Amino acid sequence: MRILALETSCDDTCAAVADESGRILANVISSQQAHERFGGVVPEIASRHHLELVNLVVARALQETDTSMDEIDLVAATQGPGLVGALLVGLSTGKALAAARGLPFAAIDHLQGHVAANFLAGEAGAPATPFEPPFVCLIASGGHTLLALVRDHDGYELLGQTLDDAAGEAFDKGARMLGLGYPGGAALERLARGGDARAFVFPGSSGDRARGGRGPGRRRFAEGLDFSFAGLKTALLYKLRELGEEEARERAADLAASYQAAIVDNLLQRAERALQRTGLTRLAVGGGVAANGELRARVAGLAATVHVPERALCTDNAAMIASAARFAPVLAHPDYLALDAYASGERVP
Ligand code: KG4
Ligand code: ZN
């Protein structure tokens, strides 16, 4: 069986072909550069670029595997959450491609896609064998940060999530304050390489916890499985003001390293706690922030069996959507034609 999948929930236009065993045959990603000068993704521009790119990306994925549409058995696309205008391009294209050939269609949740990146196996960067449930999954991306209990291939139970900013958003906002471009996660990581992670103590970092955190209310939150990154971002802003422009510039690498360490500490602490509370010893990680070298190195050091997909399968891609489609409800033609995209929250049937 061959699955053609599309992913257009944010600013990457993606198409992939995979088979029923989770082997990736093609994984094409076109990242939009147009948003850089605005310092963030502009939804309307993202939709327009998806429209221009989507057919090319699909054609390229088919061409790379020498597959014609006649050999496709199932079409899948991300239904949500994400930017509605952006999602609609991939969802409508997927439905149209399926409908034109009377093929079945699977509508996929983007976060389930990040989880399902761990079920890919075989060639094209995926491991030889898939990572099998049950496991705890930490998803940290530009739009979401959550801990999931994954018992089966077709869903998860939410253990905790961010109450404000996502981890990737914290990276992006920190990078912006440090004068780096957008998206800033990878740039901040590069800057941090030359810095001392213990130079500054930011909220939620291990250094902060060692000195007792702040206040009883904060402690109660800190013992749960939810995340919060807004305070961290504000702490960096205040630190930059306190240092003044010149010193902040001189110590940019230390600031980046300490800030990155605080984000990673926050993620790790709760992931470890989720493992303890569920009694599981298997952890998977996904989402764009899982491309971060510091996070990858630190999770590898946990006393658990850890699986982190290769970087191109952590950031947004359609191979993970194809992977999820293997376990998702499939709609026969024409039952899927009225499906709509959803921006946030739960899937609308
Ligand atoms: O999963 P993703 O590609 O898109 C969303 O679904 O949001 O995640 C994008 C996020 C951005 O915030 C980006 O800055 C962050 O992932 N990111 C990183 C790195 N590479 C991407 N954050 C830290 N270190 C990186 N190397
Ligand atoms: Zn994502």
Side-chain angles (χ1 to χ4, degrees):
M1 183 173 87
R2 291 202 166 185
I3 306 163
L4 170 68
L6 289 97
E7 151 63 43
T8 62
S9 66
C10 191
D11 59 345
D12 297 306
T13 318
C14 318
V17 179
D19 70 12
E20 73 280 358
S21 69
R23 193 164 62 101
I24 304 167
L25 305 171
N27 189 23
V28 179
I29 302 164
S30 175
S31 297
Q32 302 177 6
Q33 310 298 325
H35 307 282
E36 229 175 275
R37 65 194 161 111
F38 300 107
V41 177
V42 184
E44 186 57 26
I45 294 179
S47 320
R48 284 166 195 268
H49 278 272
H50 283 311
L51 259 182
E52 282 169 15
L53 293 165
V54 71
N55 287 333
L56 296 169
V57 165
V58 169
R60 172 111 177 264
L62 292 172
Q63 192 189 352
E64 273 185 16
T65 52
D66 224 356
T67 305
S68 84
M69 266 315 287
D70 296 336
E71 294 163 87
I72 297 293
D73 304 290
L74 171 67
V75 181
T78 308
Q79 187 183 14
L83 304 169
V84 162
L87 285 161
L88 277 174
V89 176
L91 186 65
S92 310
T93 304
K95 288 196 294 183
L97 285 167
R101 285 164 183 79
L103 290 172
F105 181 82
I108 305 299
D109 181 272
H110 181 78
L111 297 167
Q112 180 62 30
H114 278 300
V115 171
N118 294 287
F119 305 144
L120 289 161
E123 288 148 48
T129 50
F131 195 63
E132 293 294 342
F135 57 78
V136 169
C137 189
L138 168 68
I139 304 288
S141 74
H144 301 90
T145 295
L146 58 90
L147 275 162
L149 170 55
V150 181
R151 292 185 209 273
D152 295 299
H153 291 95
D154 60 351
Y156 61 81
E157 191 183 309
L158 191 65
L159 298 172
Q161 62 188 326
T162 185
L163 303 174
D164 40 57
D165 291 347
E169 212 173 339
F171 266 106
D172 293 336
K173 288 179 177 171
R176 188 181 187 151
M177 283 187 250
L178 291 167
L180 307 168
Y182 178 86
L188 196 144
E189 181 184 357
R190 276 193 297 277
L191 178 60
R193 267 181 216 141
D196 174 7
R198 280 161 305 180
F200 299 97
V201 177
F202 286 117
S205 65
S206 43
D208 180 41
R209 281 199 300 279
R211 70 179 191 193
R214 277 186 213 103
R218 190 175 177 281
R219 186 152 308 136
R220 222 179 72 216
F221 153 74
E223 283 165 8
L225 292 174
D226 286 332
F227 302 87
S228 169
F229 293 100
L232 182 57
K233 172 190 72 187
T234 311
L236 176 62
L237 180 69
Y238 287 162
K239 185 52 77 183
L240 288 168
R241 280 192 194 152
E242 185 192 310
L243 292 175
E245 223 174 281
E246 204 184 317
E247 198 179 347
R249 205 176 320 114
E250 279 167 16
R251 306 202 59 191
D254 286 347
L255 285 162
S258 304
Y259 186 77
Q260 171 175 266
I263 298 176
V264 172
D265 282 348
N266 267 295
L267 293 172
L268 243 79
Q269 191 208 17
R270 283 163 180 77
E272 265 190 299
R273 197 178 286 158
L275 287 168
Q276 280 159 13
R277 295 207 184 153
T278 55
L280 292 172
T281 52
R282 292 161 65 74
L283 176 72
V285 187
V289 177
N292 183 272
E294 176 72 13
L295 177 63
R296 296 175 82 91
R298 295 269 308 275
V299 290
L302 290 177
T305 308
V306 176
H307 179 76
V308 191
E310 94 145 35
R311 284 181 170 79
L313 298 175
C314 288
T315 48
D316 287 350
N317 66 87
M320 69 184 196
I321 302 302
S323 178
R326 297 179 295 142
F327 309 103
V330 167
L331 294 172
H333 178 259
D335 297 352
Y336 48 81
L337 290 179
L339 282 179
D340 210 349
Y342 57 92
S344 61
E346 293 298 305
R347 161 189 302 228
V348 191

